[in-house]
Amino acid sequence: MAVRPDLQLAYSGMVLLGLILLLVFRPAGHYGSVERKQYWRLQFITLFAALIGAKFAVLMGDGRWPLVPFHDWIGLLLSGRSIVGALLFGFLAAEAAKPLLRYPLPPNDRFALLLPFSIATGRMGCWMAGCCVGIESDGPIALVGVDGVSRIPAPLIEMAFHLACGVLLIVLFRARSLQGRLFALYLVVYGAFRIVSEYWRVTPKDFGGWSAYQWMALAMILAGGVALYARRGSGIIAARPAGGTA
C-alpha cells in the first residue's frame, strides 16, 4: 500500500500545493475576527474528521477490511488518502458539530469554490506517484504511467473533472445561484462521478460488486442531496457572503 519514497515526495508536493491554494485565496478572509475564529474552530473539527475518514476509506477500499484481516497499519499510515472518505467524514462531522458549537454562520461557498482546484492538484500528484491507477488499456486515451504500463489515466481524468467542477461553481457563485448550497452540490456531483469512475480504476470490488469507495460515494450523494433540500429557500443574503464548512 505504501508508495516509493521518491514518488511519495512528488505526491506530497502536489498535495501541499493544493493546501497553499486554500491559504493564498483565504476562504475566510471576508469574515470579521469573531466570525473567523468561529469558522476556524469548526474547520479544525472538519479537518480532523476528514483525516480519519481519508484513512478509513483506504482501509476498506484498498485493504478490504473487514472482509479480510488487516495488519499493515504502518503501510496504511504511509499510504495515500481517500478524498471520498475525507469529504464524507469531514462534512458529517461538521454538520454534527454545528449545533453543539452553536455555530451561527451559513455554509461557506467561497471554500467550495477553492476545494475542487485544490483536489485537482492532488490528483496530479496521484498521477506522478503512480497511485489511484486506472485499468490496463491500449485505447485512444490510454497513457503509460510511472509503472510503465499503458492504462486509462484515471487520476488525470478526475483532475479534469474537478477543474470543470471548480469552473461551474464559480459561475454559479457569480450568478448568486444555490447560495449556501454549492458544497452540497459538489458532494452530489462528485459522488455520482466517483461511482462511475471506479469502474475504470484498479480497486477491489468486493462489497456486493462495488468498491468501498463507491459505497462512500453513494453516501456522499445522499448527504449532499439532503443538504441541498434542507437548505432550499434558506434566505442567505449575498451581501453577507457564505460561511461555515465543507
Side-chain angles (χ1 to χ4, degrees):
M1 295 176 63
V3 180
R4 275 173 32 201
D6 56 332
L7 300 180
Q8 178 68 33
L9 181 61
Y11 172 79
S12 300
M14 297 307 296
V15 171
L16 179 61
L17 176 59
L19 293 175
I20 290 173
L21 286 175
L22 289 176
L23 294 175
V24 168
F25 289 97
R26 301 175 62 205
H30 56 298
Y31 292 142
S33 59
V34 174
E35 291 179 323
R36 194 178 301 120
K37 184 180 297 184
Q38 294 170 320
Y39 174 82
W40 286 116
R41 183 183 299 120
L42 185 64
Q43 287 301 309
F44 177 80
I45 295 172
T46 303
L47 176 61
F48 181 75
L51 291 174
I52 293 175
K55 289 299 183 180
F56 182 74
V58 173
L59 174 64
M60 293 187 65
D62 288 280
R64 301 164 61 205
W65 181 88
L67 298 181
V68 298
F70 187 84
H71 305 289
D72 188 14
W73 300 106
I74 299 300
L76 177 65
L77 291 175
L78 297 178
S79 67
R81 292 153 292 277
S82 166
I83 190 60
V84 171
L87 290 175
L88 177 61
F89 277 62
F91 177 76
L92 294 178
E95 293 303 308
K98 284 179 181 179
L100 298 176
L101 298 175
R102 297 183 180 179
Y103 186 75
L105 303 174
N108 190 355
D109 284 339
R110 293 173 183 265
F111 181 88
L113 300 182
L114 297 173
L115 188 59
F117 297 101
S118 179
I119 294 176
T121 62
R123 285 308 183 207
M124 173 57 73
C126 290
W127 173 255
M128 294 168 62
C131 63
C132 307
V133 297
I135 59 176
E136 294 185 21
S137 172
D138 57 0
I141 66 170
L143 294 174
V144 177
V146 296
D147 61 354
V149 178
S150 178
R151 302 178 182 274
I152 292 179
L156 297 184
I157 294 174
E158 185 164 327
M159 181 185 71
F161 165 83
H162 288 296
L163 292 176
C165 274
V167 172
L168 172 63
L169 294 180
I170 289 174
V171 171
L172 292 174
F173 180 79
R174 292 175 64 87
R176 299 184 179 180
S177 298
L178 296 176
Q179 292 181 22
R181 296 192 286 169
L182 293 185
F183 184 78
L185 175 66
Y186 181 55
L187 284 181
V188 172
V189 175
Y190 179 45
F193 170 84
R194 189 57 184 268
I195 287 176
V196 175
S197 68
E198 278 293 298
Y199 287 110
W200 62 69
R201 291 181 57 169
V202 180
T203 49
K205 310 295 193 299
D206 296 335
F207 293 85
W210 272 15
S211 71
Y213 300 116
Q214 285 173 304
W215 287 109
M216 290 189 182
L218 178 60
M220 269 178 35
I221 294 174
L222 295 176
V226 169
L228 276 172
Y229 181 79
R231 292 169 183 163
R232 72 195 188 287
S234 58
I236 294 175
I237 306 300
R240 181 178 181 177
T245 184

